Amino acid sequence: MFPKPIEKQPRAAQITYQALLPLALLLWLGPLLAVALFSVKPAADFTNANYWGMPSSFEGAFNYGQVFFNSDMPRYLMNSFLITVPTVIGCVALSSMTGFALGIYKFKSNLWIFFLFVAGNFVPFQILMVPVRDLTLDLGLYNTKTGLVLFHIAFQTGFCTLFMRNFIRALPFELIEAARVEGISEWRIFWYVVLPLMKPAIAALSVLIFTFIWNDYFWAVVLTQGAESQPVTAGITSFNAQFRAAYQLMSAGSIVAALPPVAMFFLMQKHFIAGLTLGAVK
């Protein structure tokens, strides 16, 4: 059922693996390295078709200074934080409660309700584009950070509920039964018994949702416009109009936009891996 570890493979397979792994890593990191290289080049290198060679001069400080002090990048970054952080909190809070209800209580329509949460994840984004945009216009939420946050919470809660429900069902049910015997209310069982055990899952889910929402481009373009409410993924496209195809500045802006989710992952790496692997070994 599971692949054989590479250490137990024939010697020829091990050598092939060791030879192809650096190549795969280079192919994976190639676009990112290219963007990082472009971000420190002067504009003249692009005019002279020096795309892949070494920079004629390193203009990294100037390029990144332009991004931070001569554009709306700080505002776009702040918008992304104001959209992503409330979304993560809302999704984790709602899915923790719904996951607890669907994972602990056994009632007739439990499975059907669970299917309703999961079914939304199979609906293509493009089908929802027009009705969601019209709904935000009718509610006065179009081109607002609040509208984008509410939509992301509504759409991401289905996946989060799937994650939390399956995690909670793997917890020892005897703990909950013992708490009930002691006369503890269901709310206190959730808060003092189940929630502390969910910390690794909450950390893993928070990293995933933070990355999903931060990197979202489709809904950022559909539901917002302008520097007042657009997140950084959509805001970078405005560099085309502001800097007239200044690829070095667009590359610098892309690197800046990619740093927060990378930093989030490394800060939460220990908890993220613990949440994904919890229960893998009995």
Side-chain angles (χ1 to χ4, degrees), residues 88-261:
V88 172
I89 295 174
C91 289
V92 170
L94 287 175
S95 63
S96 296
M97 292 185 285
T98 54
F100 176 78
L102 296 174
I104 297 300
Y105 303 123
K106 296 177 174 61
F107 49 93
K108 187 175 181 180
S109 56
N110 181 302
L111 195 59
W112 288 106
I113 295 176
F114 177 62
F115 283 160
L116 288 176
F117 276 102
V118 177
N121 295 289
F122 297 98
V123 179
F125 285 165
Q126 293 79 0
I127 295 177
L128 299 174
M129 179 177 66
V130 174
V132 168
R133 182 181 180 276
D134 291 343
L135 179 63
T136 57
L137 284 170
D138 294 339
L139 296 177
L141 295 174
Y142 179 74
N143 196 31
T144 64
K145 294 184 283 292
T146 302
L148 200 54
V149 168
L150 292 176
F151 170 77
H152 281 312
I153 290 176
F155 201 83
Q156 295 294 335
T157 298
F159 167 75
C160 296
T161 298
L162 168 67
F163 189 96
M164 288 299 191
R165 182 253 191 188
N166 292 339
F167 183 88
I168 291 173
R169 284 178 66 90
L171 297 177
F173 191 71
E174 292 79 6
L175 293 175
I176 298 172
E177 290 180 328
R180 287 173 176 170
V181 169
E182 295 293 331
I184 301 176
S185 64
E186 296 297 316
W187 175 254
R188 292 174 67 86
I189 290 175
F190 168 74
W191 189 260
Y192 292 106
V193 178
V194 175
L195 198 61
L197 298 175
M198 294 169 58
K199 288 181 180 179
I202 291 174
L205 188 61
S206 297
V207 174
L208 289 175
I209 298 302
F210 186 95
T211 304
F212 293 162
I213 304 304
W214 185 277
N215 291 330
D216 171 69
Y217 175 76
F218 182 80
W219 291 111
V221 173
V222 171
L223 299 181
T224 60
Q225 58 181 357
E228 295 77 14
S229 56
Q230 276 192 330
V232 67
T233 49
I236 290 177
T237 59
S238 66
F239 281 23
N240 284 327
Q242 182 177 357
F243 295 113
R244 302 295 180 184
Y247 299 109
Q248 74 279 9
L249 300 182
M250 294 185 64
S251 299
S254 300
I255 293 295
V256 171
L259 289 179

Side-chain angles (χ1 to χ4, degrees), residues 70-98:
N70 196 28
S71 73
D72 289 322
M73 176 59 73
R75 179 178 293 183
Y76 291 132
L77 287 171
M78 181 57 66
N79 290 343
S80 287
F81 279 109
L82 293 177
I83 292 169
T84 304
V85 173
T87 299
V88 172
I89 295 174
C91 289
V92 170
L94 287 175
S95 63
S96 296
M97 292 185 285
T98 54

Side-chain angles (χ1 to χ4, degrees), residues 32-84:
L32 180 61
L33 295 176
V35 172
L37 179 63
F38 288 175
S39 70
V40 299
K41 285 189 173 185
D45 280 3
F46 296 95
T47 305
N48 298 328
N50 180 22
Y51 302 122
W52 304 108
M54 292 299 294
S56 58
S57 63
F58 287 91
E59 301 291 339
F62 175 79
N63 293 339
Y64 284 93
Q66 286 283 92
V67 167
F68 276 106
F69 303 112
N70 196 28
S71 73
D72 289 322
M73 176 59 73
R75 179 178 293 183
Y76 291 132
L77 287 171
M78 181 57 66
N79 290 343
S80 287
F81 279 109
L82 293 177
I83 292 169
T84 304

